[in-house]
Amino acid sequence: MKHVLAVFERSIYLKNFIAMSFVVLFTVMMGISAQAQTDTSVNPDVAAPSPNDIREFQRLLGDTRIQNWLKQAAEAEPSIETKGSGVGMKEQLLLVVQKIKQRRADLREAWNGISLTPEIITVIWQSEMSDTATLQAITYLVIFLVVGAGFEWLYVQYFGQRLLRLELQKFVNLKRRVRVALARAALIFGSLFVFALGSVGTFLSFDWPSMVELVVLEILIVILVVRVGITVSRFFLSPRVEDLRLVSLDRREAKAVHFWLAVIVTFGVVSLAISSVFEKLLIATTLVVPILANLSVAVMGMAIWAIVTLIAIWRIASLIANNRDGYGKPSANASSRTSARFWALYLSIIVGAIFLLWVINTNAVMGSVAIFGLLYPATVMLRNWVDYLFDQAESMEFLLEQSENSEVLVSEGAEEIADDAKNAAEPEDTTSYSRRYDTYRPIVRRIVRFTLIICSVAGLVLIWNNGVFSFSDRSTLESKIFEIIVDIIVALLIADLVWIWAKTAIDRRLADYVPPEDGHAPGPEARMATLLPLLRVILMVTLLTMVGLSVLASFGVNIAPLLAGAGVLGVAIGFGAQALVRDVVAGIFFLIDDAFRIGEYIEVEDLQGTVESMSIRSLRVRHHRGAVHTIPFGELKALTNYSRDWVIMKLEFRIPFDTDMQLVKKLVKKIGAELKENPEFSDSIIETLKSQGVRRMEEFNMVMGVKFMTKPGEQWVIRREAYHKVRDAFEANGIGFAERTVKVEVQSDGPLSDATKDAVMGAAQNAIESNLPAPPVPDEP
Amino acid sequence: MALGVFSIEWVEASRPVFMMFWSTFVGGNILVGAMIIHVFLGMQSLYLRNTLQMSSYDVIQFASALLIMPLLIPHAWGIIGGVALLNYKPTFPLMLQLFWIDTPLEGLRQVLLVVVAWVHACIGLFTWLKLKVWWPRIAPFTYPLAVAIPVLALLGFAEGGNSALALLQAGTVLPIQPADPAVQLDGVTFSENFAFLTTVKWGMLYGYCILVAAVMIARFIRLRAIIGMVEIHYQNDDGTSKSIRTKAGASLLEIAIMNDIPHANLCRGRGRCGTCRVLVENSSGTISQPSDLEQATLTRLNCPSGVRLACQLKPKVGSIHIKPLMEPDVETKNLHDTTTGEEVLAQ
Ligand code: FES
């Protein structure tokens, strides 16, 4: 429970970032659209065009009027381009300054004429569109909207119930939640699509006077874009359905953010549409009017939009800072309050700067400021968002597991046990569910950051170069440097991504690995522990090489000879270091074969010992008496591993011929049972001690066999214990061990002299020694 | 009007058929009378509403209701007065020309009127029909019709407008008014009559606005009496529970809608369907007795005591524990297979 609480606490703290940053996102969108607008003045619609928009676009392209205009624009633009590219830095700077000066003069003029502007607009408007035409346009518009809305209503009648069901679902995990949110978004977008189909479709099926067409189309586009924006915001914020919300905001905040986003989008799109309509009006009109009327319209539109954005930012910030829960208690803490203020201030400054830069007509600078200014908040926002999603996923999983646990346990009916088990299970659960996401979290973070940076770079390229594709026919120094920097950044980012992914995966695996305790056989994961660090190093070297090469390549260094040289060198080194290569390759194959792992007791030819470590080339084995052998993998032919699965140990006892074998069998059986019962050994014994009966007969005694099976490494202790027990048991039951006796028959009656005795003993000694079995091989490590 | 997609002549030809009944004296009076009653009923329900935050359907319903009158008055009065005093012969070609060329504002108003009235009527009608057993069967065919008719009518209107414009360009203009405004009709000149009509029209419009404002003020005064908070605890079927705290006064259903808590309401708070019923588990204060309407619905559904309609029950200041008895995504077909309801109630 504590964990979940922590998650929620954290999510509260994260909220403000997310909320603020949503505004930012839209700001970026609008900023870019403003950019597109001022650059091309074709279409205020930069959100993904619907099929209808595309159709409309195609139709517009077919229009000779538009074609002419495009042609003019196309002719106008390259002339600026060539002028810009041919001159040096200083001239370009001068150009910018000149542009700003020009703009200032324009602005002053526009400002002076601002009182006239409405009048001018009305005059132009009336010259182009009579009142009748205006009203007709509105009537038509109403008709189209009704057609669209009617279609949408029909759609809702058929799909509304499904949508409701989706919204009412309870979610067991994040995946499901995201899937439902997507399905819902698809349904909502479907309805939007139907609306667009209805309204734009009817629009297209009529013939129009050109000005009416322009205005009606513009308004339709505005409505569609605003609706698209609202739908996107609805997908993320889901102001009405708590369970589908993908950001960490409560109902009130989500509603407020949603509302303000809608307002921002509406104002932005409307102001863009208005200025574009007037621009076209000015182009179309035959009246002689001050050319700057459209400038004042555009500036005013942008100013209103900027102000609305600022209001939105501060409203949301204050809402988050003063948030109260359902019972009127403040739920935001001090730190989140300050951070809300900070971000509000930061974003306000950025918005203000963007607006000012736009006003003084330095679009490239404006774009860069927008991108640089918003990159950091966007990064923070996305990181928090990713974290939030992961936290959610984890806590959901946690709750799920917990509820399952409690269900199972409660059904058993033993409450105290349930409590105990839950307490015991908690830490375990925590690890099991968080493990699953721990690998992905940093990767997803990186990917998100990666995408963000790539997008900003692409944006910068677009802004400063008027299209990435113009690189090919330009070769100025700056563009070259720029290109190189972009290349390097991309290479680094990709390498970083791969590296982080591999590193987290490997590190997680390694962290999971618990080295076996002394005297215990290592499990199969020991192999991982050997192979993974190796893999990590190889990967790092490869990545570094690749990045280095690609950086070189982007600098214009021809890396082909380098590669070829590396190839030749490789061959040379290969011949020279054949043994080394053999070792490395053999090592890899030994590891893949799983022939030995760290901690295992092995024997290679006449060397024995525990595998202590492995390098890329060799194996280090420590003999149980402390000596360390280093064996190159290439030298390994046959390898004996004493630490696998099980070991059989056979013991022999020599007993006199007159021993009661039944009794011995019984005794051994009893000892076996005792050993098995001993908690110290019971885990390691696979088959306990059992008598094998008489194995062979010798001159003076019988040899009785006993064997047992244990896990590798455990046999020695058990053997020791078995010996003790057998000895004690035999002694207690009067069974003696056969002793090697040499009978010396002396064929004389009288007592022997000392010398004779010595001679006899010497003979016996000889007899004993000549018959002695070979000393046993010391086998215990 | 839908025929207008094909040709203006057809429309004109069909006019007498459609208009026959309404043009008679009795028909006309019935129409006007019914409308006035409807308006007053609407005003009453506006007065009785405790909150103006409602589901989007209800918002549309109310907004369209309020808009109909200002849109309709000029039209109705124009026809009644125009025919009676100015001796107009309203034919469709004339009207089209009037709406599209001479007074486009009227055309716009007409379009809006058609749309608003249609929307209002459809919502009312469907809310009522939705409860019928046979509705799910015919609904899939009725819905397209509900869209197709106004759409075709409007398209016809637009097409008609275009051809009227074409006629205008060709130079044929129908005479709109008597050539000489001074021509007398029953001793009064045309322009005098026209001025009189306009005054009456504006009088009616102002009157309507004042009526709406008065109702709103009365409602505001009524609502001022209700102060305090109510705490509602929902006990759901799946064992989860939820509490909200909100201003007292609104009905349980309205509170649920305001707080985005899904709640079944098939008839949207008319008190007829019974899908919104809840089991009141306990309540800190007394709860009002069910009204006749509510009681009738509850009896029809064999509800045990303690079960109330959320759309009718307005909890008093304090706290109340309730348990919704129907799933929020209840459909008409579930409404009539009584087992669902009874099973829930049996628990
Ligand atoms: S909503 Fe139908 S009875 Fe309450």
Side-chain angles (χ1 to χ4, degrees), chain A residues 34-64:
Chain A
Q35 184 68 30
Q37 182 66 19
T38 42
D39 282 353
T40 58
S41 327
V42 179
N43 199 332
D45 179 10
V46 287
S50 70
N52 287 299
D53 292 348
I54 292 167
R55 221 168 109 204
E56 174 54 18
F57 183 50
Q58 282 169 347
R59 199 190 58 78
L60 278 178
L61 278 184
D63 192 332
T64 44

Side-chain angles (χ1 to χ4, degrees), chain B residues 253 264-276 309 311:
Chain B
L253 179 65
N265 60 337
L266 213 52
C267 71
R268 289 212 309 285
R270 304 291 184 282
R272 291 204 217 100
C273 67
T275 48
C276 63
L309 295 183
C311 62

Side-chain angles (χ1 to χ4, degrees), chain B residues 138-176:
Chain B
I138 67 157
F141 313 105
T142 323
Y143 286 140
L145 220 59
V147 173
I149 292 173
V151 162
L152 286 179
L154 288 177
L155 289 185
F157 185 65
E159 196 51 47
N162 273 352
S163 48
L165 287 175
L167 277 182
L168 177 70
Q169 249 138 40
T172 36
V173 185
L174 299 172
I176 270 262

Side-chain angles (χ1 to χ4, degrees), chain A residues 510-669:
Chain A
L510 281 181
D512 278 352
Y513 171 67
V514 189
E517 289 165 40
D518 280 344
H520 285 268
E525 67 277 4
R527 182 160 60 117
M528 281 304 199
T530 358
L531 206 56
L532 286 177
L534 209 71
L535 199 72
R536 198 165 52 180
V537 174
I538 293 176
L539 190 77
M540 188 162 82
V541 171
T542 322
L543 278 177
L544 280 180
T545 322
M546 276 164 65
V547 169
L549 284 180
S550 67
V551 167
L552 280 182
S554 67
F555 270 118
V557 178
N558 190 357
I559 56 166
L562 212 65
L563 285 178
V568 171
L569 204 70
V571 172
I573 292 176
F575 278 124
Q578 216 178 8
L580 181 75
V581 173
R582 200 179 64 204
D583 286 344
V584 172
V585 174
I588 291 171
F589 280 105
F590 269 113
L591 285 176
I592 290 173
D593 285 349
D594 196 14
F596 48 82
R597 304 163 186 163
I598 285 183
E600 285 183 338
Y601 190 81
I602 60 167
E603 178 180 328
V604 183
E605 278 149 38
D606 49 353
L607 302 174
Q608 293 168 329
T610 316
V611 181
E612 225 178 33
S613 66
M614 279 176 245
S615 74
I616 193 165
R617 190 191 73 93
S618 63
L619 170 71
R620 187 161 294 207
V621 174
R622 186 177 287 273
H623 191 260
H624 50 267
R625 285 197 213 96
V628 173
H629 310 294
T630 302
I631 312 163
F633 289 124
E635 303 298 313
L636 297 178
K637 296 266 152 39
L639 183 141
T640 318
N641 193 329
Y642 287 106
S643 307
R644 281 297 158 84
D645 309 330
W646 47 267
V647 174
I648 288 184
M649 177 120 287
K650 291 187 167 172
L651 311 177
E652 290 183 345
F653 299 99
R654 292 186 166 72
I655 44 175
F657 289 116
D658 55 358
T659 317
D660 175 3
M661 282 314 287
Q662 291 302 328
L663 180 63
V664 168
K665 216 167 199 160
K666 233 186 332 190
L667 287 176
V668 170
K669 203 170 173 184

